[in-house]
């Protein structure tokens, strides 16, 4: 049984952790950078933020499992699982670009039922609960009503260390550069999804992502009226390493493009 206060408690944990990350951003030194893989960076800030989030969530729901980006999974008996990205946009953080966030999702069995994305620099708080809509700082949000690709602003991201699909990536990009209002690569999947949810972007797609990148944001898009799927139109976007999220008016066109070049 989920407490009616839970979403608010998650929001508070995100805000508290955001204050820690914001403080560290002031004094952060590049000597603290560690390499997880090619172009895949991390620091004590990501790890400490995750530790704080895990400890706080564990008090709220002691039997839940965890899927954590930095410290690995915690497997328990309960049917609830927290999915956490303590700092989405680490490359931006390390380069002093104020565009990164905290992403916390709660999954029941295999369904995401709550999601919170906190933009640390602006303070924006995106959140959603299954069946109850999406909110930005307490105000209901909706995806855009655009149905014309030529007027749409599209977001994407590029893989950091697996370049096996570079050809379709460039082909889709070429089509979008030619046929849309613009393409953005702003460096945080969770905020890309949240921006689709509130209509700033009309669509977002990326491959090579992990559950912690997309769990909260995908629910926030769906509860705001958007469509979310993998590149074949099926629902394997959480663990399937490919996601497209879009306003209903442009979803079919984007999906068709992805199907054409990625298959
Ligand atoms: C990254 C960001 C980025 C995406 C990368 C992710 P991280 O997450 O979401 O936008 O393109 O693939 O790994 O490493 O900053 O948490
Ligand atoms: Ca991430
Ligand atoms: Ca991260």
């Amino acid at each position: 049984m989920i407490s009616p206060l839970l979403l608010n408690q998650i929001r508070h944990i995100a805000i508290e952790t955001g204050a820690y990350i914001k403080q560290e951003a002031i004094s952060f030194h590049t000597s603290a950078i560690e390499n997880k893989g090619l172009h895949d960076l991390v620091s004590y800030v990501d790890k400490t933020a995750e530790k704080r989030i895990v400890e706080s969530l564990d008090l709220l729901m002691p039997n839940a499992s965890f899927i954590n980006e930095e410290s690995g999974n915690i497997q328990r008996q309960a049917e609830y699982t927290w999915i956490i990205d303590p700092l989405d946009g680490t490359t931006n953080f390390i380069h002093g670009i104020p565009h990164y966030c905290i992403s916390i999702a709660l999954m029941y069995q295999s369904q995401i039922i709550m999601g919170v994305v906190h933009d640390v620099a602006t303070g924006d708080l995106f959140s959603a609960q299954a069946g109850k809509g999406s909110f930005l700082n307490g105000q209901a949000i909706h995806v855009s009503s655009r149905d014309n690709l030529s007027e749409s602003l599209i977001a994407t991201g590029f893989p950091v260390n697996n370049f096996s699909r570079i050809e379709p990536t460039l082909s889709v990009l070429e089509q979008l550069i030619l046929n849309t209002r613009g393409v953005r690569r702003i460096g945080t999947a969770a905020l890309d999804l949240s921006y689709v949810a509130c209509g700033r972007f009309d669509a977002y797609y990326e491959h090579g992502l992990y559950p912690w990148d997309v769990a909260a944001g995908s629910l926030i898009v769906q509860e705001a009226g958007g469509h979310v799927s993998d590149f074949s139109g099926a629902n394997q976007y959480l663990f399937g390493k490919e996601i497209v999220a879009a306003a209903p008016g442009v979803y079919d066109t984007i999906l068709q493009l992805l199907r054409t070049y990625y298959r």
Side-chain angles (χ1 to χ4, degrees):
M1 180 62 186
I2 291 283
S3 156
L5 300 176
L6 187 59
L7 189 58
N8 236 1
Q9 291 168 317
I10 304 169
R11 289 189 191 110
H12 277 110
I13 291 168
I15 290 167
E16 276 175 15
T17 312
Y20 161 72
I21 293 174
K22 207 167 185 173
Q23 187 57 39
E24 292 306 314
I26 297 166
S27 56
F28 187 79
H29 193 270
T30 48
S31 60
I33 300 171
E34 299 165 42
N35 278 284
K36 283 199 285 189
L38 181 68
H39 310 321
D40 196 1
L41 310 176
V42 70
S43 80
Y44 72 92
V45 180
D46 307 58
K47 293 175 184 174
T48 309
E50 184 172 287
K51 189 164 181 286
R52 287 175 175 226
I53 295 168
V54 170
E55 283 170 2
S56 303
L57 293 175
D58 223 8
L59 295 175
L60 296 182
M61 230 191 240
N63 292 321
S65 300
F66 283 86
I67 296 175
N68 299 317
E69 179 177 11
E70 306 302 343
S71 55
N73 298 351
I74 301 170
Q75 195 61 49
R76 296 196 181 122
Q77 291 306 312
E79 293 181 294
Y80 291 97
T81 304
W82 297 106
I83 305 180
I84 297 163
D85 190 335
L87 179 44
D88 187 46
T90 293
T91 305
N92 283 348
F93 175 84
I94 281 169
H95 283 258
I97 298 166
H99 191 73
Y100 39 82
C101 66
I102 293 162
S103 175
I104 302 173
L106 180 61
M107 182 166 72
Y108 175 67
Q109 297 175 340
S110 58
Q111 297 298 315
I112 305 297
I113 57 168
M114 285 186 192
V116 169
V117 172
H118 176 42
D119 183 330
V120 172
T122 64
D124 277 349
L125 199 67
F126 296 87
S127 61
Q129 184 167 355
K132 299 202 169 165
S134 289
F135 296 85
L136 165 54
N137 302 330
Q139 301 289 319
I141 52 173
H142 301 281
V143 294
S144 88
S145 56
R146 282 194 194 87
D147 55 9
N148 188 337
L149 203 60
S150 65
E151 291 174 0
S152 295
L153 189 61
I154 312 296
T156 188
F158 308 124
V160 290
N161 50 25
N162 180 348
F163 306 117
S164 58
R165 296 169 104 185
I166 194 79
E167 281 180 20
T169 303
L170 295 177
S171 300
V172 170
L173 201 54
E174 181 180 0
Q175 290 304 312
L176 293 174
I177 290 168
L178 293 172
N179 296 305
T180 67
R181 193 168 269 175
V183 181
R184 299 287 181 269
R185 195 283 191 252
I186 59 174
T188 144
L191 279 178
D192 287 329
L193 287 162
S194 300
Y195 276 30
V196 172
C198 68
R200 293 174 187 169
F201 291 144
D202 302 289
Y204 160 72
Y205 69 96
E206 185 165 349
H207 72 270
L209 296 177
Y210 291 89
W212 46 79
D213 298 308
V214 298
S218 58
L219 180 69
I220 294 170
V221 171
Q222 287 168 325
E223 287 297 319
H227 294 338
V228 181
S229 73
D230 58 29
F231 290 178
S232 68
N235 64 2
Q236 298 304 309
Y237 54 83
L238 194 56
F239 296 95
K241 295 196 164 186
E242 50 183 49
I243 187 164
V244 51
V250 296
Y251 171 79
D252 287 345
T253 314
I254 293 281
L255 183 63
Q256 189 54 44
L257 200 57
L258 295 168
R259 273 184 166 147
T260 303
Y261 290 99
Y262 275 95
R263 301 290 152 200

